[in-house]
Amino acid sequence: MDSPSPRLAFLSRPPTRRNLRWVSGLVLMAYVAAHLLNHTLGIVSFAAAETVLRGVQKFWHSLSGTLLLYGAAGVHLALAVSALWERRTLRMPPLEGLRVLLGFALPLLLATHLTAMRGAYLAYGIEGSYVRVVSGLWSLPGAGAQFALMLAAWSHGCLGVHFALRARPGYRRFSHLLLAMAVVLPLTAAMGFVSMGREFQWTGVPPAQLPTPAQGKALNAAEGYVKWFYGLALLALLAARGGRNWVARWSRQPSIALRYPERTVHVPRGWSVLEASRSHGIAHLSVCGGRARCSTCRVRVIGPAEHTGAPGRDEQRTLERVRAPGDVRLACQLRPQGDIEVTPLFAPPPNGGRPAPVSSFGRERDVAVLFVDLRRWSGLSERQWPFDLAYVLDRYFATVGAAVRESGGVPNQFIGDSVMAIFGLETDLPTACRQALRATELIGQRMDAWSEGFEAQFGQRLDFGMGLHAGRAAVGEVGYLDTTTFTAIGEVVNTASRLQDHAKAAASRLVVSLFAAQQAGLAHTAEQVDLLRVRGRSEPLAVICSPGAVQPAGRTVMVAASGAPEIS
């Protein structure tokens, strides 16, 4: 029997909390956006807004619409309550705190609207209409409450979308346009509300079905019950959290030691690593707000497996997306059960105790990184005048830089006799790897052409080595004050540099990781693959050692059967 396709297998699995939160939030966001757009039609006329409202109500009042809307609201609120209960500390960045505060305040703000509109429809069959809304709220307190409700609901949704997507390049590319839309839509909705109110002043209030005084009294009583019930439930939740934390603090339960590179902190069992960092003022980047989406909070963990446990589905999916090694976990999801050592991989430098803004840190991308190193530079430096050395370096950098740019890459670091180049800033990873291999071919051709006269002039043969690896890296500006440079940071950069070093020991011109070669579609045989132990990696890396630039015609280094060589 054929196994199900990956897509069907994904659909057959139960949804994760992250996906439930995302889907339910999008449903509620669509509902609020539709309301604001409907209000905006009031700028045209009351009749236009009322006509569209009737069509929208038919869907939301249907069985499917009711289940979708109130199911999404129930799931979203339940997940919010669960997340609040799991938090061991309420310390968080201001914007994240505002989003949480608005989310829990919304049911109180919505109580009046729900009982007056949906409650009246369910109890007495009274359809909601703009006549009831505008005429009933046409006063400064009433209009102010309506605008506050719209702004709170819309702001909460926009902040949620922002935290979920702000690490993605596509979102960052259109963020200014999306921000303008997010600001303009509630403004136009308010203008539509005011326009309909002024239209009623000029033409008179149209006839509409209104609740009787007895019905209005019953609806007001229901509104009060909803507010009291929700308010008391929220207070009970906060009191239970406080009581749990107090018991954990004073019951003399053994704490857990988290050893950071600079210091060791002790927290009660059940705290996440991110909560521990925030509680103790340790700078720890977290772009998505602790939702296991962005991976920027990830840490390298050293400690017994029973102290860390297995990652959940949300965490595992994110770790697989960034191809994290087995000793890397997400700080927002890891709740240690014993002492461990953690190293934040993307911890920003201290900035008044606050994480640095995402815009200054850059973004994550799948890239190919190429290192090129000029061989026997020290021997040449001993025999030549400094101006001759400057000439050699200038021509070497120009030769390598031009080949990289012509192939579609960016030569971004020229340090000593080494050049680092990044491919994939504007392309997908397979294209980036093909561009990088094309660059190695051009570099080899041009360096060989230069070497014909180099040996006669400088008394030694011109030689060089290259290392190429591909994977996920953070790209952006790094440095201090005005001295910054655009670069890539991550395991892929360190590994590419080590592969370039290994090219010398392997007597090869190019050492390329098998992953990068496969992404580029480079053909190879099993006999061409070596296993290397690279310092900083927990597992050996499969590589191809080539005597030429791009087509590995044969092995130039043999690996003993006893094990893999090690690159220090």
Side-chain angles (χ1 to χ4, degrees):
M1 185 176 182
D2 295 337
S3 59
S5 66
R7 182 179 298 274
L8 293 178
F10 170 76
L11 293 175
S12 65
R13 294 196 297 266
T16 64
R17 289 176 56 178
R18 187 178 70 181
N19 289 341
L20 285 173
R21 182 185 298 111
W22 180 242
V23 172
S24 61
L26 286 181
V27 170
L28 298 177
M29 188 74 170
Y31 179 79
V32 175
H35 260 58
L36 295 181
L37 288 171
N38 209 157
H39 286 12
T40 300
L41 287 176
I43 299 175
V44 179
S45 67
F46 156 74
E50 187 72 13
T51 300
V52 173
L53 178 63
R54 294 301 178 197
V56 172
Q57 283 179 337
K58 287 183 180 179
F59 171 73
W60 293 118
H61 286 177
S62 66
L63 178 60
S64 58
T66 299
L67 293 176
L68 179 65
L69 177 60
Y70 289 94
V75 168
H76 208 68
L77 181 59
L79 291 174
V81 169
S82 175
L84 181 62
W85 175 257
E86 291 176 351
R87 284 182 178 271
R88 266 36 181 196
T89 174
L90 295 180
R91 292 191 180 186
M92 62 189 79
L95 277 182
E96 187 179 342
L98 177 62
R99 178 184 63 83
V100 173
L101 182 62
L102 289 176
F104 281 102
L106 274 177
L108 289 175
L109 297 174
L110 283 169
T112 302
H113 181 78
L114 289 175
T115 54
M117 296 299 160
R118 187 72 175 203
Y121 172 76
L122 294 176
Y124 308 114
I126 302 175
E127 292 279 359
S129 68
Y130 277 117
V131 175
R132 292 180 56 202
V133 173
V134 177
S135 62
L137 298 176
W138 190 245
S139 64
L140 184 58
Q146 175 73 2
F147 295 155
L149 171 60
M150 290 193 304
L151 188 60
W154 183 245
S155 299
H156 174 74
C158 289
L159 287 173
V161 172
H162 175 67
F163 283 126
L165 300 180
R166 64 175 174 172
R168 301 195 176 187
Y171 174 79
R172 292 167 60 83
R173 190 177 302 117
F174 298 103
S175 60
H176 299 295
L177 176 61
L178 295 174
L179 176 61
M181 295 172 58
V183 172
V184 168
L185 185 55
L187 290 177
T188 56
M191 292 171 60
F193 179 88
V194 173
S195 296
M196 286 187 284
R198 298 297 300 272
E199 183 178 344
F200 293 166
Q201 287 182 326
W202 296 332
T203 62
V205 179
Q209 183 183 7
L210 300 176
T212 65
Q215 292 172 344
K217 184 177 180 180
L219 292 174
N220 290 335
E223 174 192 339
Y225 294 146
V226 170
K227 289 182 176 180
W228 274 106
F229 176 79
Y230 177 77
L232 291 175
L234 185 57
L235 288 176
L237 174 63
L238 294 175
R241 280 191 74 262
R244 179 198 60 191
N245 294 343
W246 183 86
V247 170
R249 188 179 301 113
W250 296 104
S251 61
R252 298 182 180 180
Q253 294 180 355
S255 61
I256 295 174
L258 300 182
R259 296 186 294 276
Y260 290 80
E262 299 85 8
R263 56 188 289 202
T264 298
V265 302
H266 292 82
V267 297
R269 184 178 283 106
W271 285 47
S272 71
V273 174
L274 182 61
E275 288 174 332
S277 298
R278 288 174 172 175
S279 179
H280 289 83
I282 298 174
H284 205 141
L285 192 68
S286 177
V287 171
C288 72
R291 303 299 187 186
R293 289 186 178 276
C294 65
S295 81
T296 54
C297 71
R298 62 185 184 261
V299 293
R300 192 176 302 279
V301 180
I302 299 177
E306 59 269 19
H307 289 183
T308 57
R313 285 179 55 195
D314 286 335
E315 182 182 4
Q316 186 62 41
R317 288 174 55 189
T318 301
L319 292 174
E320 291 174 353
R321 177 173 57 84
V322 300
R323 302 186 185 92
D327 58 350
V328 170
R329 295 288 299 272
L330 298 185
C332 65
Q333 303 298 307
L334 174 58
R335 298 182 181 274
Q337 299 301 309
D339 299 349
I340 59 172
E341 181 178 338
V342 294
T343 302
L345 299 184
F346 294 109
N351 181 25
R354 293 172 285 117
V358 178
S359 58
S360 67
F361 184 76
R363 64 190 190 277
E364 287 192 9
R365 285 193 63 86
D366 287 326
V367 296
V369 176
L370 173 67
F371 271 88
V372 186
D373 182 70
L374 198 60
R375 303 302 191 205
R376 296 190 293 274
W377 177 251
S378 298
L380 186 67
S381 301
E382 293 178 356
R383 300 190 303 271
Q384 304 299 328
W385 292 100
F387 279 110
D388 291 335
L389 298 175
Y391 160 76
V392 173
L393 279 182
D394 186 63
R395 181 167 178 181
Y396 163 63
F397 289 154
T399 300
V400 174
V404 168
R405 287 195 176 277
E406 290 176 23
S407 303
V410 176
N412 74 304
Q413 287 191 21
F414 301 86
I415 303 175
D417 56 349
S418 296
V419 179
M420 171 182 163
I422 306 173
F423 299 82
L425 297 176
E426 302 295 337
T427 63
D428 57 16
L429 188 59
T431 302
C433 293
R434 289 192 292 270
Q435 291 176 341
L437 288 176
R438 172 59 180 165
T440 65
E441 185 180 17
L442 291 179
I443 292 170
Q445 294 172 355
R446 295 174 185 182
M447 293 290 283
D448 287 341
W450 181 21
S451 66
E452 295 179 1
F454 185 87
E455 186 173 5
Q457 183 177 2
F458 293 98
Q460 72 178 48
R461 185 169 58 89
L462 182 66
D463 197 9
F464 62 97
M466 296 177 286
L468 173 61
H469 187 40
R472 177 65 57 131
V475 294
E477 297 285 341
V478 297
Y480 179 68
L481 297 179
D482 296 332
T483 307
T484 61
T485 183
F486 183 84
T487 190
I489 302 173
E491 174 273 332
V492 61
V493 180
N494 299 331
T495 300
S497 176
R498 303 295 183 190
L499 295 184
Q500 175 271 126
D501 291 337
H502 182 69
K504 182 187 298 184
S508 298
R509 180 167 286 185
L510 169 66
V511 177
V512 55
S513 67
L514 180 62
F515 175 74
Q518 290 173 338
Q519 290 291 310
L522 183 65
H524 67 279
T525 63
E527 290 74 16
Q528 293 175 306
V529 178
D530 291 327
L531 286 179
L532 302 177
R533 293 194 178 276
V534 182
R535 189 177 66 183
R537 291 181 59 94
S538 57
E539 299 178 357
L541 178 69
V543 301
I544 299 175
C545 302
S546 170
V550 66
Q551 293 294 337
R555 292 167 61 87
T556 58
V557 56
M558 301 300 293
V559 182
S562 59
E566 181 169 346
I567 308 175
S568 60

